[in-house]
Amino acid sequence: MRYAAIDIGSNAVRLLIADIIQNTGSVSFKKNTLIRVPLRLGDDAFIQQHISEKKTTELVKSMVAFRNLMDVYKVTDYLACATSAMREAKNGEEVVKLIKDEANIDIDIIHGSKEASIIYASHAEQNIDKSKNYLYIDVGGGSTELSLFSAGELIVSRSFNIGTIRILDNQDTEETWNEMKDFVRDNTRNFKQLSGIGTGGNINKLFRLSEEKEDMPLTFAKLRSLYTYLSSFSLKDRINVLGLNQDRADVIIPACEIYLTLMKNANIKNIYVPRVGLVDGIIQTLIEKNLQ
């Protein structure tokens, strides 16, 4: 069996095709193919509140390609989710209908709390001590999803309209920043020795740049020094000298700012980076729907 996950984000769209592995009493998956297309829908959605004709055409072409790949790989079930950019675009539903007509893909525009719950379904915490307290932090192009866990139980979850593309486009507000900081301080002050769990493409890249050992956390001090190091390069040099992809080289700076702000306000000294994201959670959601 093969399942597919499609994530239509504010910075990029992704297709993950995964092979489903059934052992006695357990079901897991192995990543087969992952494709990422940097469409930057957020540039339209956050400034104009409208997905332009050009971006719509590119998105439809990407979805037709994803449909063809799913057919060739003989995918048996899929789930396609659109997040912050499509939530805010006034023509989001029109674009969804066009994709259904052209690519025969059904897309759910999901709200922030649903996004957070799907990310949590990725079981990013499975190799981590469940008796401890964790703040899940998922930073996207348009929003940041936060979930507080204590002894494996969800305490509180919230989505904020602060993301990397939104910051680059100057569409973040001081009010939302303050709201997010207050939320974190109010909900974490009673938890001692809180650790972070970071998901999303930027924290994954930061972890690789840190050259930290697998399964070891990234410290606040290390992340801050990485931020200082990356900020010392121009955008051009982050691409040419450091070898970052063009669509990663700009967003990685505001991503650092979000993670550092949250870790500081929650008094988090270590953040674990399990290298999973929304697409992993979607595959797990399909497994739970169909097989468990």
Side-chain angles (χ1 to χ4, degrees):
M1 260 189 310
R2 282 196 181 122
Y3 293 161
I6 295 173
D7 166 15
I8 300 174
S10 305
N11 188 28
V13 298
R14 294 174 185 82
L15 168 69
L16 171 62
I17 294 174
D19 297 328
I20 309 306
I21 302 158
Q22 290 180 275
N23 292 319
T24 311
S26 73
V27 184
S28 59
F29 68 90
K30 181 173 179 288
K31 294 182 183 183
N32 182 311
T33 301
L34 178 63
I35 293 165
R36 180 178 179 276
V37 185
L39 287 187
R40 291 257 162 127
L41 297 177
D43 283 338
D44 284 359
F46 305 141
I47 297 172
Q48 309 292 340
Q49 282 75 55
H50 185 90
I51 305 294
S52 66
E53 192 174 334
K54 180 176 180 289
K55 297 269 187 189
T56 299
T57 300
E58 290 173 352
L59 178 58
V60 169
K61 283 180 178 177
S62 299
M63 292 302 111
V64 169
F66 286 4
R67 163 49 73 191
N68 288 335
L69 282 168
M70 290 195 294
D71 290 347
V72 169
Y73 276 93
K74 298 181 171 56
V75 164
T76 52
D77 200 4
Y78 77 94
L79 185 59
C81 296
T83 56
S84 188
M86 292 282 276
R87 280 199 294 270
E88 292 201 19
K90 289 175 181 171
N91 62 333
E93 293 293 348
E94 288 171 42
V95 175
V96 165
K97 186 178 183 305
L98 186 61
I99 290 167
K100 174 63 176 174
D101 292 343
E102 298 289 325
N104 193 27
I105 290 176
D106 292 299
I107 293 168
D108 290 334
I109 299 178
I110 58 172
H111 48 76
S113 56
K114 175 84 179 284
E115 187 177 349
S117 70
I118 292 175
I119 291 161
Y120 175 61
S122 68
H123 295 312
E125 84 299 346
Q126 59 194 2
N127 297 321
I128 292 165
D129 187 346
K130 291 197 176 56
S131 67
K132 294 185 178 175
N133 307 314
Y134 297 97
L135 180 67
Y136 261 59
I137 306 169
D138 183 82
V139 174
S143 62
T144 294
E145 272 61 55
L146 302 175
S147 300
L148 179 65
F149 287 87
S150 179
E153 294 293 315
L154 175 63
I155 306 300
V156 65
S157 183
R158 184 94 180 266
S159 176
F160 292 90
N161 282 340
I162 292 176
T164 58
I165 302 295
R166 206 183 285 271
I167 292 169
L168 289 176
D169 289 341
N170 295 312
Q171 298 302 307
D172 57 319
T173 66
E174 189 179 350
E175 183 185 0
T176 311
W177 274 103
N178 290 335
E179 203 181 329
M180 185 168 75
K181 291 178 198 172
D182 290 344
F183 170 85
V184 168
R185 285 194 292 261
D186 292 346
N187 286 285
T188 62
R189 63 163 62 105
N190 296 325
F191 292 93
K192 302 295 180 231
Q193 294 180 314
L194 188 68
S195 294
I197 298 177
T199 56
N202 286 299
I203 196 74
N204 292 345
K205 186 64 181 176
L206 287 162
F207 188 81
R208 283 194 288 273
L209 289 170
S210 76
E211 298 180 342
E212 191 56 75
K213 290 179 186 170
E214 202 76 39
D215 297 329
M216 292 298 290
L218 195 56
T219 65
F220 178 82
K222 188 70 178 271
L223 185 57
R224 188 173 52 192
S225 68
L226 258 177
Y227 172 64
T228 304
Y229 174 70
L230 290 167
S231 300
S232 71
F233 289 85
S234 67
L235 175 60
K236 187 178 176 183
D237 283 347
R238 287 199 293 272
I239 296 165
N240 296 333
V241 179
L242 299 182
L244 295 180
N245 287 343
Q246 192 168 345
D247 64 297
R248 181 69 66 205
D250 55 355
V251 292
I252 203 162
I253 300 296
C256 275
E257 290 166 358
I258 297 169
Y259 282 108
L260 288 169
T261 299
L262 290 168
M263 289 175 76
K264 183 180 176 184
N265 281 273
N267 197 26
I268 289 171
K269 293 181 175 61
N270 296 299
I271 185 164
Y272 292 86
V273 184
R275 298 199 192 181
V276 297
L278 186 65
V279 284
D280 302 81
I282 291 173
I283 297 291
Q284 195 61 45
T285 300
L286 288 167
I287 287 171
E288 287 167 9
K289 181 187 90 170
N290 293 321
L291 301 172
Q292 295 180 349

